[in-house]
Structures are given as structure tokens and as C-alpha cells.
């Protein structure tokens, strides 16, 4: 499998060299692109936070005002935030696959590989909590499924899923907690990303300016062409059953209708354990 991946990456890199040139080839610079995208997400997130209302009633309306009344700034920033986050997942997956293909996960590289594992979990936790904040039908769906999965674990004394199944069960404190998590988890993610490169000699955390400019312009074009939109306000009196998913962050959520919660946790735990023991 590693030989097949290595051959594929060599072919893609040669093709990218012909198009972009060796200096601007994005494939060898996936790590620095990950850092660059993190800062894009962070800066756009700060802007969105300025106009976001943490009230359980007003959260959805504040996002809608940014998206439509302030479309030229807030709407673009929301889409910018969304698509940069999605692209960060793509970069992470390709970066991990390339490191595996090049046999850079054991020996002298074991530390970077092991510290890269929590980055996956932290990135997904950051994205999922971000979807909750919009508090539309997708957010309600994510909240119900996430809480049901968490309830399967012996962590909470009482089921938390019932908080999302009845009107009036949520308070403003819920969104205050979500904001705290959505800010705190990325800060931990940044710290782990710093640890991830500690044992790399002369690590590159900034892509070439021309490549960075291409990424920025591309994100702006996509944000204007297909802006990120809400899917209608959450309604705890009903259970959403037809929502559009972000397949970058929520690919496992439909499995709750096919698998047991224990099987999903077994899949996640087994995958994480496999990555840890690979070196």
C-alpha cells in the first residue's frame, strides 16, 4: 500500500512541479499550508465572534445578520471561515498520507507522527463545535447525534441528549460554554501543532507568499461563488431529518442510523490506536 501511495504522490508532485514550479508546488509544503490555513480560520473567527450573539434565542439571528445584512464582510468572512476549515481537513489528510507513503512515521520521525494524532481529534472537535454555534437545523442535528454518542460513554451522570429534544431545555449558558470550547480547543490545537514540529530541524510554517496569495484568492472566489448559508432555525419541537452535511467534518454522522454507538466508538478508537502503534 505504501509503495502504491508513494508512486501516486511522485506522479502528482511531478505534475504539480510542471504547473507551479518546484518553489510553489503545494504538495511538499502541506505542513506550512496547514499553519497558514489555521491563521486564516483564526482571524476570520475573531471577526465573526465580534458580531455573534451568544443568546440561545439570538444566536441564529446574529449569524443571519452577518450572512445577509453584512454579506460583503460578515457573509464573506463566514464562508471564508467555513471553506478554510474544510481545506485544512483536506491538507491534514493528504499530509498524513504523504508522510506515511514516504516512510516518515517511524524511526527519527516517530515523535512528529505521534503528536500529529491528537491534531486530528482537536481539529474535528473545533469544527463540530463551530457547527453547533450556528444553531440552525444542521446544528441541531449535530447536537443530537453528538450528545447521543457522548451519552454512550460512562462520563455523564444523566443523559445530555434530552437537552436537545424539548423546547425551553437550553439556556444562554449553553452557548457561552460552546463559545468557550470553540475558542479553547483551537488554542490547544495550536499548542499541539507547535509541539508537532519541535523535533524538526528548520521547520517551515509559512508557505511562499505567492502560494499563500493563490490560496487566499481561491478562498475568496469560492466564498463569493457559493456562500455558506444556514439551513433554517433549529426547532427543538421537531427532530431534523433532512439536512445537508459537511462531508469534511461530519462523514461519520450518518452511521448512527446504520451502526450502534458502541461500533462507532470502536471504529474511532481502533483507528486512533492503529495510528499510535504504527511507528
Amino acid at each position: 500500500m505504501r509503495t502504491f501511495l508513494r508512486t501516486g504522490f511522485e506522479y502528482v508532485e511531478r505534475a504539480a512541479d510542471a504547473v507551479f514550479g518546484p518553489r510553489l508546488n503545494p504538495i511538499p509544503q502541506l505542513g506550512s499550508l496547514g499553519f497558514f490555513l489555521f491563521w486564516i480560520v483564526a482571524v476570520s473567527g475573531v471577526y465573526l465572534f465580534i458580531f455573534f450573539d451568544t443568546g440561545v434565542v439570538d444566536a441564529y439571528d446574529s449569524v443571519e445578520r452577518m450572512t445577509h445584512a453584512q454579506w460583503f464582510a460578515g457573509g464573506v468572512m463566514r464562508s471564508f471561515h467555513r471553506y478554510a476549515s474544510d481545506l485544512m481537513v483536506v491538507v491534514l489528510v493528504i499530509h498524513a498520507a504523504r508522510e506515511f507513503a514516504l516512510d516518515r512515521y517511524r524511526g527519527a520521525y516517530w515523535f512528529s507522527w505521534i503528536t500529529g494524532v491528537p491534531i486530528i481529534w482537536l481539529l474535528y472537535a473545533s469544527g463540530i463545535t463551530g457547527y453547533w454555534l450556528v444553531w440552525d437545523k444542521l446544528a441541531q442535528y449535530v447536537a443530537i447525534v453528538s450528545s447521543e454518542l457522548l451519552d454512550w460513554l460512562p462520563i455523564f451522570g444523566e443523559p445530555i441528549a434530552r437537552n436537545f429534544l424539548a423546547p425551553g431545555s437550553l439556556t444562554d449558558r449553553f452557548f457561552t460554554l460552546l463559545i468557550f470550547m470553540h475558542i479553547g480547543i483551537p488554542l490547544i490545537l495550536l499548542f499541539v501543532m507547535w509541539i508537532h514540529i519541535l523535533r524538526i530541524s528548520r521547520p517551515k510554517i509559512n508557505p511562499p507568499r505567492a502560494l499563500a496569495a493563490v490560496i487566499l484568492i481561491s478562498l475568496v472566489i469560492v466564498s463569493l461563488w457559493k456562500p455558506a448559508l444556514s439551513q433554517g432555525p433549529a426547532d427543538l419541537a421537531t427532530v431534523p431529518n433532512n439536512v445537508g452535511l459537511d462531508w469534511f467534518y461530519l462523514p461519520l454522522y450518518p452511521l448512527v442510523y446504520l451502526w450502534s454507538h458502541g461500533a462507532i466508538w470502536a471504529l474511532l478508537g481502533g483507528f486512533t490506536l492503529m495510528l499510535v502503534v504504527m511507528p
Side-chain angles (χ1 to χ4, degrees), residues 85-145:
S85 300
D86 286 344
L87 186 56
M88 194 172 178
V89 171
V90 174
V91 166
L92 180 146
V93 171
I94 299 176
H95 178 59
R98 182 174 182 269
E99 295 303 290
F100 170 74
L102 297 179
D103 204 20
R104 295 177 181 172
Y105 64 94
R106 52 186 173 178
Y109 298 98
W110 75 269
F111 181 82
S112 296
W113 180 267
I114 292 296
T115 54
V117 175
I119 290 177
I120 300 174
W121 280 92
L122 290 167
L123 179 59
Y124 273 90
S126 301
I128 290 171
T129 55
Y131 272 107
W132 284 32
L133 289 172
V134 179
W135 205 230
D136 60 353
K137 293 186 184 300
L138 175 60
Q140 184 184 353
Y141 167 79
V142 171
I144 292 173
V145 174

Side-chain angles (χ1 to χ4, degrees), residues 133-233:
L133 289 172
V134 179
W135 205 230
D136 60 353
K137 293 186 184 300
L138 175 60
Q140 184 184 353
Y141 167 79
V142 171
I144 292 173
V145 174
S146 299
S147 57
E148 288 177 345
L149 286 171
L150 290 174
D151 282 339
W152 186 87
L153 301 173
I155 298 176
F156 303 99
E158 298 181 359
I160 60 175
R162 65 185 183 184
N163 293 318
F164 306 102
L165 298 174
S169 57
L170 293 179
T171 66
D172 293 349
R173 292 182 180 179
F174 168 71
F175 281 91
T176 301
L177 174 62
L178 278 182
I179 281 288
F180 176 79
M181 293 174 60
H182 194 55
I183 294 175
I185 294 175
L187 290 177
I188 299 173
L189 171 60
L190 179 61
F191 177 69
V192 178
M193 289 169 65
W194 172 71
I195 294 176
H196 178 64
I197 62 173
L198 274 181
R199 295 183 60 176
I200 301 176
S201 59
R202 295 189 297 275
K204 295 181 179 179
I205 60 174
N206 295 309
R209 292 182 179 180
L211 180 58
V214 169
I215 297 294
L216 279 172
I217 294 171
S218 299
L219 287 172
V220 170
I221 292 173
V222 174
S223 298
L224 293 171
W225 169 60
K226 192 174 179 61
L229 301 174
S230 302
Q231 300 184 35

Side-chain angles (χ1 to χ4, degrees), residues 9 22 43 50 53 68 117 140 186 189 202 238 241 263:
F9 274 110
V43 172
I50 293 172
D53 193 320
H68 300 289
V117 175
Q140 184 184 353
L189 171 60
R202 295 189 297 275
T238 62
N241 55 16

